[in-house]
Amino acid sequence: MENLIVLGTGNAQAVHCYNTCFAMKKGEEYFLTDAGGGNGILLALEKQNIPLEKMHHIFVTHAHNDHILGMVWIVRMIATSMNKGNYEGELHIYCHTELVDTIKTLSCLTIGKKFTAHFDRRILFHVVDHGEEQEILGDRFTFFNIGSTKEKQFGYRMQMDNGIVLAFPGDEPYHKDLLPWVEGAQWLLHEAFCLYGQRDIFKPYEKHHSTVMDACKLAEELHIPNLVLWHTEDRDLARRKATYTAEGQAYYHGNLYVPDDGEILSFT
């Protein structure tokens, strides 16, 4: 992959930014991870000039509404493009086994048969198992079950064809059982629900989330050179980058990124 295109950075209740999801670009193609909670995914893609006709691979982490509901809109729009003869090839959706029925059911309940008729024909589902490897757009993905106690969820470790390794442990805090998938990565994409100083306001630990301090201590301990923090609260977006960076740099000495929606991070 060449770069990471941040489509959304907010948690499930965010209204001032879109829910956390992102795309990665490889040549003329894009790999999407999650789709957020609604049709805001279409505007996010449009702002980044990402054509659906250049998106043939999507990974969905889990069934929470802020990660999966945007898939209905993706399915509808790509199926529309297929029906018009503008979309070449197949759409490949990677997810754990329960999500196949969830995505299909949501789509069948909310959009017409002329769109869902493409399921298992040109919209293909690939069930991923813990530790399974897939080559996607020339890079090697290893999918893993993050061990969530809330909702079954998968993340991945990606080794790019240039040797760079990226670890994405979903939207819950890293725990020691995930070390094989995170160890040695040059990039870690980690949730940070709020500042540590605001933990009594936002209650991150009750929601199985972490703070900026927690994520930064982790990345420092694991010697991760590049850390991206997102999946946050949205009360003070104008100052989020500054306040999160200030807290994080007290505990982490690598390259710390607190992106806004629409930012692009380069892996090179």
Side-chain angles (χ1 to χ4, degrees):
M1 302 295 174
E2 301 161 11
N3 54 37
L4 185 152
I5 303 165
V6 181
L7 300 173
T9 57
N11 63 27
Q13 295 181 325
V15 295
H16 302 293
C17 57
Y18 194 55
N19 310 121
T20 299
C21 55
F22 59 99
M24 291 185 284
K25 189 174 189 292
K26 184 73 174 287
E28 296 299 317
E29 286 285 325
Y30 296 86
F31 174 81
L32 179 67
T33 296
D34 286 336
N39 70 349
I41 185 61
L42 304 180
L43 178 59
L45 293 171
E46 182 178 295
K47 285 182 176 179
Q48 297 302 319
N49 297 312
I50 298 177
L52 290 171
E53 290 75 18
K54 296 297 183 180
M55 184 182 297
H56 291 85
H57 301 274
I58 300 174
F59 172 64
V60 183
T61 57
H62 63 298
H64 284 167
N65 64 342
D66 56 318
H67 295 264
I68 198 170
L69 292 182
M71 281 300 299
V72 174
W73 293 93
I74 292 289
V75 167
R76 180 189 178 110
M77 298 306 291
I78 287 183
T80 296
S81 185
M82 289 176 173
N83 291 339
K84 292 181 177 179
N86 296 328
Y87 189 95
E88 295 183 2
E90 294 81 32
L91 170 63
H92 300 271
I93 300 174
Y94 306 84
C95 59
H96 65 71
T97 185
E98 290 90 340
L99 284 182
V100 176
D101 286 340
T102 302
I103 295 170
K104 286 183 175 181
T105 299
L106 286 170
S107 300
C108 289
L109 288 173
T110 55
I111 59 178
K113 291 182 179 180
K114 64 181 179 180
F115 308 116
T116 59
H118 292 290
F119 285 154
D120 302 319
R121 296 178 180 175
R122 294 186 64 193
I123 299 178
L124 306 177
F125 290 85
H126 303 270
V127 173
V128 298
D129 294 317
H130 184 64
E132 179 177 343
E133 293 187 356
Q134 293 269 0
E135 183 174 313
I136 302 173
L137 298 178
D139 293 333
R140 175 62 59 179
F141 286 76
T142 305
F143 297 97
F144 56 87
N145 189 327
I146 73 166
S148 173
T149 58
K150 294 194 301 182
E151 178 74 30
K152 184 176 179 181
Q153 180 175 173
F154 273 57
Y156 57 76
R157 177 185 178 94
M158 177 183 66
Q159 181 165 341
M160 305 179 202
D161 57 8
N162 61 5
I164 294 174
V165 175
L166 176 148
F168 170 59
D171 77 345
E172 294 189 21
Y174 163 90
H175 56 81
K176 61 181 181 179
D177 292 341
L178 301 181
L179 180 61
W181 319 112
V182 175
E183 189 174 31
Q186 286 81 45
W187 287 80
L188 175 63
L189 314 180
H190 201 280
E191 57 85 30
F193 202 82
C194 63
L195 296 168
Y196 182 75
Q198 296 180 323
R199 65 194 183 282
D200 292 334
I201 300 172
F202 295 107
K203 312 293 184 185
Y205 304 130
E206 295 178 12
K207 301 177 176 71
H208 297 260
H209 290 300
S210 61
T211 68
V212 172
M213 182 194 76
D214 300 322
C216 288
K217 280 186 172 181
L218 166 69
E220 185 78 5
E221 178 183 339
L222 295 176
H223 307 290
I224 305 288
N226 300 281
L227 173 63
V228 179
L229 299 182
W230 51 21
H231 203 271
T232 78
E233 50 79 26
D234 67 335
R235 297 280 184 86
D236 189 9
L237 285 183
R239 298 197 312 136
R240 180 181 63 179
K241 186 187 294 288
T243 57
Y244 280 39
T245 299
E247 177 168 292
Q249 287 179 337
Y251 305 97
Y252 174 68
H253 298 92
N255 300 314
L256 179 59
Y257 302 91
V258 184
D260 293 318
D261 291 14
E263 284 195 36
I264 299 175
L265 307 179
S266 176
F267 295 129
T268 57

